[in-house]
Amino acid sequence: MPLLALFFALLLVVLPAHGSECPSANNANLTSHILSCKQHLETLEPNGAQAFDARLELVSLYRRAGDIKLSNQILDELMAWKLTTLQRFQVLRQSGINRYRQRNYIQALESFHEAQTLAAQLQQNELEGKSANDLANAYQALGDLDTALTLFLESYQIAKATNDVQRQAITLNNLGNVSRDINQLDDAILSFRQAHALHQQAGDPTKANHTLLSIAEVFYKKREYKKATEIIGDLLQPLTQNGAYTQLSRAYLLLAEIAIAQNHITQAQQQLASFKRTRQLIQHGKVDQRALLIEAKLKQLEGDNLTAQTLLKQGLEAHNQQNSQLTELFYIALLQSQLQTHAYKEAVETAQRYNDMLKSSRVQSENLYQFRLQRANVLAAPKRQTETNIVSHVFIGFIAFLAGVLVTYCFVRYTTRTDTHGLHSKHTSIDEQAARLLMVEVMTLTLALWEQNSGKTRVELAEESKVWKVNIDDGRLRVRTLERYLNIKTLPKKPRIRNIVTTAQYVLTQCQGANSDTAPLSQKVAQLEQILACSNAA
């Protein structure tokens, strides 16, 4: 799960759900605030309402300080109290938040679902909206994006009905994150823009600027680099003047990514250096894992694969217990770099570790399926959808395992040095995965070229090319089959290569005479046509 989703989830949970009971310390030091709260607690009547509120605030303070263990101890003590329904809701919700922070997502769901039941009993829209949002974050972390989308929409409707502008904006940001993750980029931009307007309406420039950066990230993903750069460029000065160094560092990092995507090495180096200087101004001891990945990509672009591999391994050491999109990107980049440098033995080990992570993901999906069966009366969910997700994870695990076997075979044949036959086995080991990556790249380039030159959407591409089916979903036109070809994780087991080639050729024909560089797509299409010819011959 991406880091942006976690950021907006924390916006909802950092502050307690009740009014502040503990007095704030004179300075901004979190430790001082905790000590002040504990001292204040000693002056309150034990087991009283004020003592409950103070303890609950202490739970939040410990969590912010990174001490989840002490935070959980207070929650365990509170559960032994004779609580009202509202107080029990608050304790369960905070317990779910702690479990979420510890990445125990199934346990977090258990707490959030219990809290949701109590919110329904209390019949308070605000609490039901918070519960829907909490559950959505947990389902999103587990990869069940459709359920997360449904719950975020429910939370948004509740926030809208209660005229809660702040929660509307936060939920719209979450909706934008999910839409981005499932590659519905136009929907993501719409959600982020609505969130930005609400943050401005609420007079919160910090969150408004954060949302603008999210919009820039979507344009980057759409390969509309000029638009992304313009948005970021307009933000640099106000972020610098306001001392918003966290957001400023994020802006420089995104500019570095854009430069790398366009093979502008010098610009990428400059932006990465600006990121590092800005990062030093933040009182933060943690290493930015995304920055490691981007720096590794830059080193690969510079031809320094050994340094790139060192950076990627460093990132994986910090993420070895985390199943996330970022971790997958580290594994894929490391595997590609090792193959480029003919480090086949290390590539086998990397593929095996990647496969282990995917197995863990499959187990997590199975646990989610079992959990949802048990909770079916709380949140109805299509069984077929969940089973499909499980099958998808099984398939991905199988592909990773197959890749590991093929790379192993490549290494053995390489070490035996059996001339041309050994060389053929080396290519065979990466052909299948390379072909699948090529298919996704061709479709992504095709869609980007189409949108940039025609100003039309993917739905219009499907209709005009007559290659892809257009569906109506909740009153909106969708091209879900086409969208599956835009991500390696959702690419069908048996992709229709002819459809990809036909779509690309149609777009290239439509773009003839335009001022766009069609050479990269033409080259990729030619490679894909060779694969198609070989498969037909076989």
Side-chain angles (χ1 to χ4, degrees), residues 262-465:
Q262 299 176 92
N263 294 328
H264 297 160
I265 295 178
T266 302
Q267 289 183 20
Q269 291 170 339
Q270 292 172 349
Q271 301 298 353
L272 201 56
S274 297
F275 162 80
K276 291 179 178 179
R277 286 195 300 269
T278 308
R279 186 76 177 174
Q280 290 175 351
L281 299 174
I282 305 171
Q283 299 299 320
H284 203 301
K286 294 183 179 179
V287 176
D288 190 311
Q289 300 301 319
R290 188 164 190 84
L292 280 179
L293 179 62
I294 293 168
E295 187 173 2
K297 287 183 178 180
L298 178 58
K299 292 300 180 183
Q300 285 178 308
L301 196 60
E302 294 170 346
D304 188 355
N305 275 292
L306 293 179
T307 302
Q309 290 172 25
T310 300
L311 292 168
L312 292 167
K313 289 175 183 177
Q314 182 181 345
L316 282 173
E317 285 176 4
H319 279 249
N320 60 351
Q321 298 299 324
Q322 301 179 18
N323 173 30
S324 67
Q325 292 180 352
L326 186 61
T327 309
E328 291 190 30
L329 291 174
F330 271 100
Y331 274 116
I332 292 170
L334 180 58
L335 189 57
Q336 289 175 338
S337 180
Q338 288 169 336
L339 289 173
Q340 287 174 1
T341 56
H342 307 295
Y344 299 115
K345 184 176 180 180
E346 291 186 2
V348 171
E349 296 173 353
T350 301
Q352 289 173 341
R353 290 197 301 272
Y354 185 30
N355 184 51
D356 290 341
M357 190 200 73
L358 292 173
K359 284 181 180 179
S360 174
S361 175
R362 185 173 72 247
V363 171
Q364 184 171 263
S365 293
E366 292 170 350
N367 291 338
L368 174 60
Y369 175 55
Q370 294 298 325
F371 172 80
R372 294 185 67 167
L373 286 180
Q374 297 170 3
R375 304 291 307 190
N377 62 322
V378 178
L379 179 65
K383 178 179 178 181
R384 183 181 303 174
Q385 169 113 18
T386 307
E387 289 175 337
T388 302
N389 288 340
I390 294 173
V391 171
S392 174
H393 283 295
V394 171
F395 170 65
I396 293 172
F398 172 74
I399 287 297
F401 173 75
L402 182 61
V405 172
L406 289 174
V407 172
T408 305
Y409 178 66
C410 166
F411 173 69
V412 171
R413 299 295 292 172
Y414 177 80
T415 54
T416 57
R417 302 181 183 275
T418 55
D419 299 328
T420 58
H421 188 265
L423 181 62
H424 173 72
S425 69
K426 180 178 72 175
H427 287 296
T428 302
S429 68
I430 60 175
D431 273 350
E432 182 175 355
Q433 187 65 9
R436 292 177 65 81
L437 288 169
L438 179 62
M439 294 175 206
V440 172
E441 191 170 2
V442 168
M443 280 301 298
T444 304
L445 285 171
T446 298
L447 184 59
L449 190 63
W450 169 260
E451 291 178 339
Q452 289 172 9
N453 284 275
S454 68
K456 298 179 180 179
T457 66
R458 63 189 65 182
V459 173
E460 291 169 302
L461 172 60
E463 291 176 333
E464 295 181 23
S465 66

Side-chain angles (χ1 to χ4, degrees), residues 29-180:
N29 187 282
L30 189 58
T31 303
S32 298
H33 197 172
I34 290 173
L35 291 174
S36 177
C37 191
K38 292 174 70 174
Q39 291 171 358
H40 177 66
L41 188 59
E42 294 176 356
T43 67
L44 301 176
E45 179 184 351
N47 300 341
Q50 288 184 327
F52 174 85
D53 290 342
R55 286 177 182 273
L56 206 60
E57 187 165 353
L58 201 53
V59 166
S60 177
L61 291 172
Y62 276 131
R63 180 169 59 242
R64 288 169 56 190
D67 197 336
I68 302 292
K69 184 177 180 180
L70 281 177
S71 183
N72 283 331
Q73 285 179 3
I74 297 175
L75 289 172
D76 290 340
E77 293 171 3
L78 289 175
M79 285 299 290
W81 288 23
K82 187 176 181 180
L83 303 174
T84 65
T85 303
L86 176 59
Q87 289 174 333
R88 185 171 177 80
F89 165 84
Q90 292 172 320
V91 172
L92 284 170
R93 182 168 183 260
Q94 293 299 318
S95 177
I97 291 167
N98 282 359
R99 289 171 169 180
Y100 181 94
R101 288 288 299 273
Q102 292 175 301
R103 298 181 180 272
N104 296 326
Y105 299 126
I106 296 296
Q107 294 179 10
L109 279 178
E110 292 175 355
S111 296
F112 288 148
H113 271 299
E114 287 186 56
Q116 184 195 44
T117 302
L118 295 177
Q121 292 176 10
L122 292 165
Q123 296 183 344
Q124 293 187 23
N125 286 336
E126 181 184 358
L127 301 185
E128 292 180 6
K130 287 181 179 180
S131 292
N133 200 76
D134 292 338
L135 286 166
N137 282 313
Y139 278 111
Q140 184 180 6
L142 287 164
D144 189 349
L145 299 182
D146 286 339
T147 299
L149 197 62
T150 300
L151 286 162
F152 279 135
L153 286 169
E154 178 184 334
S155 179
Y156 174 70
Q157 293 301 329
I158 293 173
K160 198 172 180 180
T162 56
N163 199 29
D164 189 338
V165 175
Q166 182 183 15
R167 187 163 294 280
Q168 286 180 58
I170 291 173
T171 307
L172 283 167
N173 269 305
N174 287 329
L175 283 168
N177 291 332
V178 175
S179 296
R180 183 199 59 226

